[in-house]
Amino acid sequence: MAALSSLHHISTTLSLLGLTKPSLLAPPFRRPFRGLPPITSSSLEFNITFAPPSPKPKPPPNLKSDGVLDSDSPQNGQFFIPWIVRGEDGNLKLQAHPPDHFLKALAEAKTQKPKKKVDKAAKKKKDISAVGNAGIEPPAPPPKLSKAARRFYNEHFREPPQRLSKVLAAAGVASRRGSEELIFNGKVTVNGTVCNAPQTRVDPGKDIIYVNGNRLPKKLPPKVYLALNKPKGYICSSGEKEFRSILDLFEDYLKAWDKINPGSPKPRLFTVGRLDVATTGLIIVTNDGDFAQKLSHPSSNLTKEYIATIDGEVRKRHLIAISEGTEIEGVLCVPDSVELLPTQPDLSRPRIRIVVHEGRNHEVRELVKNAGLEIHSLKRVRIGGFRLPADLGLGKHIELKQSDLRTMGWKS
């Protein structure tokens, strides 16, 4: 279009000059225009040039061959964070990658110091030898806590000092009565002094207690609450050798204690109340003395339900005689309820449901015997609001939940 416009302009100029012959416009123009010769048809020639083409857009900035950034403009929508380095000529320049000396220093730098291997056994042996050969462990390092944090912990979480006999019983040394005998016999020392008073208040976490020369662990075992379906032929105490103790049923449980509770001493288990050797059913096993005393004390008024299977026929007069109660150890014991259960096809003997709250020794058996009946078998199925699970086999136990303990009136 530009060429046609130029030709049209030349044609118009020649027309005004009266030079309109076609030969004058025919290309090519072999000789450039020099000066102003006479205007003749044989010697007139023009030097026609065209304007240069419009500049093309510059390509996007890129890196040079030496890695120097041409511009800080974005490339392909990405912004480069340049490195400002000084070149060999002493001038500053922008560079897209870190300088070589920086990468080399970063690769050779050691980010972590090598940890020294500490032999714990050798360290402990060294500490013990430092305090002497008396077998006394070195004092523990002070906790890295602020005073406010330690005060808050002591006020809200740390248990207050307890009776020495109770601490020994909770640690599994002996029963409460057996612990008192050890204290009276001078077998217990507290902070290096022989203690003969079971009511002495001690803190196992702070006080150093020895029993028969053995150090009592600072950490007491956690509270354990178990429900056992007692089989026939087991007694609730561990002193008599002619009968098997129900504590023998927990041997596997205590053997697996260290795996389940690492770092915690084994609990000393005992029963809450008792069942005679011929009675089966629900009995609670724990290491919490306060819990056991609460449940077994008459002031708790905790009801207990038994199922008595009778040899022979049960009549109405028998039920009336049981409900009227009987005298046991000089105290009249009256059951809360007595009910003859419906007969079942797989059970030929009649069954009586008896609920009591006194909990005296052989109370249910004496009530049935005083009514003129003979018991074939006796089973306890409920204590308070907790009922023996129907799928719990003889000799098996389950751990009680907090909700189960609340049904028996215990609030930990």
Side-chain angles (χ1 to χ4, degrees), residues 26-38:
F29 305 99
R30 297 185 178 90
R31 194 160 55 95
F33 180 75
R34 298 177 181 178
L36 293 174

Side-chain angles (χ1 to χ4, degrees), residues 1-11 50:
M1 293 297 293
L4 292 177
S5 178
S6 300
L7 290 176
H8 178 70
H9 179 70
I10 295 171
S11 176
F50 299 96

